[in-house]
Amino acid sequence: MRNAQPETLTLDRLQTPVGTALLVTDEDGVLRAFNWTDYEPKMLAWIARHYPKARLGEGRSPVRPAFEAYFAGDARALDRTPWKASGTAFQLKVWEALCTIPAGETLSYRGLAERIGRPSAVRAVGLANGANPVAVVVPCHRVIGTNGSLTGYGGGLPRKKWLLSHEGASFREQLAA
């Protein structure tokens, strides 16, 4: 992977069981952003801020086959997908720790804070988790509440529930109020 800013980014749209996914890769085929079409304006603004000189064009992403395999049932298909994210040193540490949570397992925000050696930084870990620009590959959806309940997910709780169920993870359903 290059250290320099990408010159070209490719946006691919992939139909999934939970909506159309947006895959953004650089000229080396490294995932730089992931989101859902209902959050496309927010993602495009993020790309403009973090990669201001990059040209964004639509095309087929080289990571598409891994995503297709994942959504077809191979929960580990994204494990070796190359990614690079623009973030602070703390955010990168949290995102790297997220990648240590295997498919089919979950971890609490507190557990994630402990995993990075910052047990009192639970809120900061939550904010870093929510700022993850390469979701699903960096599996922020695998972080749940201490009591096992589903908590926030940038793509919406119904998607988080689907992703965790798809991977065979256990969690506690929230009861409707």
Side-chain angles (χ1 to χ4, degrees), residues 9-10 25 35 42 50 55 65-66 77 89 98 121 127 141 150 159:
L9 295 171
T10 301
T25 49
N35 218 318
K42 181 180 173 184
H50 290 272
R55 291 181 316 277
L98 287 169
L127 290 171
H141 62 279
L150 295 182
R159 279 196 184 108

Side-chain angles (χ1 to χ4, degrees), residues 35-102:
N35 218 318
W36 306 96
T37 52
D38 32 338
Y39 300 97
E40 186 169 356
K42 181 180 173 184
M43 184 186 79
L44 293 176
W46 183 90
I47 289 170
R49 253 189 341 273
H50 290 272
Y51 307 116
K53 295 181 180 178
R55 291 181 316 277
L56 180 65
E58 298 221 11
R60 188 169 175 88
S61 170
V63 300
R64 175 186 266 265
F67 278 91
E68 289 172 334
Y70 173 82
F71 285 106
D74 181 356
R76 294 186 142 351
L78 299 173
D79 287 355
R80 288 184 298 281
T81 300
W83 62 275
K84 186 169 185 173
S86 179
T88 67
F90 181 80
Q91 288 173 327
L92 290 169
K93 188 172 189 176
V94 169
W95 299 337
E96 289 165 5
L98 287 169
C99 292
T100 68
I101 308 169

Side-chain angles (χ1 to χ4, degrees), residues 2 29 75 87 119 132 152 161:
R2 304 175 199 223
N132 170 17
K161 178 181 175 184

